[in-house]
Amino acid sequence: MNTDLSQNEIDELEQVLNNFSKEWEIKQNQRSFKWRMSFMVAFIIALASIFISAKLWWVSLAVIAYFAGSLFTMLRQNAKTNSEIIERQQQLKLVRLLRKFEASPYRTTNN
């Protein structure tokens, strides 16, 4: 049987992927919390500036535009990374299935 990866290497890759996905989830939660806090502070400052002077209405538009862009970027990055994690998990499952198939006693070879 000629295989590129041993069972131990597959297990290690799966463990690394699981650790990465857990760390990614924790960091995303931290980023999301920081984003919400920053948005709240900036929104309050923008509202205060409007009450101070009505001519500063554009500040609230700038705040909304900035945070809409940052939210879009954060969500796009999260979706991309999550889809890559899912793809890698599926690849590891496929490798495991192929290894089981190669080790199967019922497998027929045409040589």
Side-chain angles (χ1 to χ4, degrees):
M1 178 166 44
N2 184 11
T3 58
D4 293 337
L5 294 174
S6 70
Q7 189 64 34
N8 290 339
E9 290 173 327
I10 294 171
D11 292 339
E12 288 175 13
L13 286 173
E14 195 168 44
Q15 186 62 36
V16 167
L17 183 61
N18 288 336
N19 291 342
F20 175 78
S21 63
K22 287 176 186 175
E23 289 175 19
W24 173 254
E25 186 176 331
I26 290 169
K27 287 184 181 185
Q28 278 303 103
N29 289 337
Q30 291 171 345
R31 285 183 191 132
S32 145
F33 177 76
K34 287 179 184 177
W35 184 88
R36 286 192 300 268
M37 294 304 292
S38 300
F39 178 75
M40 185 176 65
V41 168
F43 189 73
I44 290 171
I45 291 171
L47 282 178
S49 67
I50 290 174
F51 289 127
I52 292 172
S53 174
K55 293 180 182 180
L56 296 176
W57 61 269
W58 55 269
V59 172
S60 62
L61 290 178
V63 166
I64 291 171
Y66 172 77
F67 281 101
S70 68
L71 177 62
F72 177 75
T73 302
M74 189 170 62
L75 290 174
R76 186 181 61 196
Q77 180 185 21
N78 190 24
K80 181 180 176 183
T81 303
N82 284 339
S83 68
E84 288 177 1
I85 288 171
I86 290 169
E87 182 180 337
R88 299 299 182 258
Q89 287 172 338
Q90 290 173 344
Q91 288 173 350
L92 284 172
K93 285 179 186 177
L94 180 61
V95 168
R96 284 188 186 278
L97 287 173
L98 288 173
R99 299 234 339 133
K100 283 181 184 178
F101 175 73
E102 287 177 351
S104 172
Y106 301 110
R107 182 177 161 228
T108 60
T109 56
N110 295 330
N111 289 334

